[in-house]
Amino acid sequence: MGSSNNLVLLILFVLAISLTLVAEASQGHRETPSEEEKKDLKRQLRAINKPALKSFKTKQGIIYDCIDIHKQLAFDHHLLKNHSVQLKPTVLPEWITYKNISQKVSPLQLLQKGISCPDGTVIVKRTTMQDLMHAERLKSVGFNSSNRLPAGHHYATADYKRTSVSGVKGSINIWDVQVAQDQVSMATMAVAGGPVEQLASISVGWMASQVNPWLYGDHVHLYTYWTGDGYRRTGCYDVRCPGFVQVSKRIPLGVLIQKVSIYGGIQYQMDLVLHQDHATGDWWFIFGGENVGYWPASLFSPGGVANRANYASWGGQVYSPLTEASPVMGSGHFPDEGFGKAAFINGIQIIDGSGTALIPQIYTIKTHETSPTCYKAKYIHDDEEPWIRAIFYGGPGGCIGQ
């Protein structure tokens, strides 16, 4: 595929994961639903929130439920009616290890003390009426696939394009980014594949958002996103729709991340993996060495990521309405400030088609910046640890009308 087609693939990938952001901004704040709409939302809630064996409410007012692993929302998907839960991948790749120069956030640090689900259950954030109102707004917005970036969307990434990618890894630096209403700032690692008109993608990372006061309304959260067709009909964030099969009882999608980096001080990172099981084709999400869950291969077409991906990306993205200055990305500082001041993703690795973990060759990774006056990306490719392959990225924002 030529360089122009590579750019089209990159742009459509960004379009797919940013659709919900553009949709929300274009709709504005919806008025309070009518009584009939409320009744319909309540019916949907009864279908989505499965009976809990145990529940917890955090200090932030978030409710987590312990759901029977075999009765979770994923199995409402028509393609997963007869799906057998896989508790772990059949084979785990042996990733290359690096020296640790910052503090790692472990699964045990994600939830406050006292939250513990029993065996045979998974932990899930309870869906609220506000969550459903947000989903309804997305359905009401049309979207035309094109080869232009959505207005107000900016990114600074390191991208890898090859014919066969079956896994990616990265240690994502965590920052408590403050954003205004209708803005988003995120750090992401992703895979994508398929024809440009039917792009499939999976991304994971952290997100700070005020696009909707009910979507990650407090500080920084772990997030996931998937789509099988460029978000035309499939996919969602976290578990806001059937599809992702949760297996962890300790790591809920959308969980608040409370260990964050300090400018010029202690740095926190989280080790994330997206790995395709060669035996089943399922895409596993692994946090800090623990299996969180997976997207079954049946959710994706053979031309998408069901039979490997062909694109991987690491870096930052932001969104803001055109009339407002764009928010900070990463730490809010440019890459040249270096470790402890600029945001980074370290330990970049890929799994090739044979299932072997590789440090990408220098020439295979390219950086992309849509608004270099506000955000930059710097690819690090030293020969010695700890920065063998990494990206520093981010910036103070302030772009208006782009």
Side-chain angles (χ1 to χ4, degrees), residues 124-138:
V124 177
K125 178 186 177 297
R126 183 179 298 181
T127 300
T128 66
M129 184 176 292
Q130 288 85 359
D131 294 331
L132 292 183
M133 289 169 60
H134 176 68
E136 289 300 316
R137 280 195 289 275
L138 302 183

Side-chain angles (χ1 to χ4, degrees), residues 86 89-90 276-284 294 296-298 306:
Q86 308 297 309
T90 56
Q276 187 172 37
D277 189 319
H278 277 210
T280 64
D282 302 335
W283 281 91
W284 280 85
Y294 60 94
S298 57

Side-chain angles (χ1 to χ4, degrees), residues 94-203:
E94 294 185 8
W95 296 96
I96 302 166
T97 59
Y98 292 94
K99 293 178 182 177
N100 183 28
I101 61 173
S102 62
Q103 298 294 316
K104 293 185 178 181
V105 175
S106 76
L108 293 175
Q109 295 174 306
L110 293 177
L111 293 172
Q112 64 191 47
K113 292 182 179 180
I115 297 181
S116 176
C117 285
D119 292 342
T121 69
V122 293
I123 188 164
V124 177
K125 178 186 177 297
R126 183 179 298 181
T127 300
T128 66
M129 184 176 292
Q130 288 85 359
D131 294 331
L132 292 183
M133 289 169 60
H134 176 68
E136 289 300 316
R137 280 195 289 275
L138 302 183
K139 291 179 183 179
S140 67
V141 177
F143 188 76
N144 294 320
S145 179
S146 68
N147 56 358
R148 293 186 304 156
L149 281 172
H153 189 93
H154 313 268
Y155 66 88
T157 59
D159 307 308
Y160 176 91
K161 180 71 176 66
R162 281 296 181 268
T163 56
S164 185
V165 178
S166 62
V168 293
K169 183 179 182 181
S171 296
I172 300 181
N173 191 206
I174 306 168
W175 293 86
D176 187 6
V177 178
Q178 300 299 309
V179 296
Q181 186 68 36
D182 295 335
Q183 293 185 333
V184 170
S185 186
M186 59 199 297
T188 185
M189 177 181 77
V191 294
V196 292
E197 69 278 2
Q198 199 75 1
L199 187 70
S201 67
I202 303 172
S203 60

Side-chain angles (χ1 to χ4, degrees), residues 6-78:
N6 288 349
L7 179 59
V8 170
L9 179 63
L10 169 64
I11 289 173
L12 288 180
F13 166 69
V14 174
L15 289 173
I17 63 174
S18 63
L19 173 60
T20 57
L21 315 183
V22 177
E24 185 70 25
S26 64
Q27 286 297 98
H29 300 295
R30 180 174 172 163
E31 296 179 357
T32 303
S34 66
E35 289 303 316
E36 186 60 33
E37 288 174 323
K38 286 182 179 179
K39 289 180 181 179
D40 182 58
L41 291 173
K42 288 179 180 178
R43 285 193 293 268
Q44 293 182 51
L45 285 176
R46 287 194 292 269
I48 291 174
N49 289 322
K50 304 305 180 183
L53 300 181
K54 198 174 182 180
S55 297
F56 304 91
K57 188 174 184 178
T58 69
K59 294 181 292 186
Q60 294 80 20
I62 301 171
I63 298 177
Y64 293 105
D65 293 324
C66 302
I67 307 296
D68 186 320
I69 191 171
H70 300 289
K71 297 179 180 178
Q72 58 182 294
L73 178 62
F75 303 120
D76 285 357
H77 197 291
H78 69 283

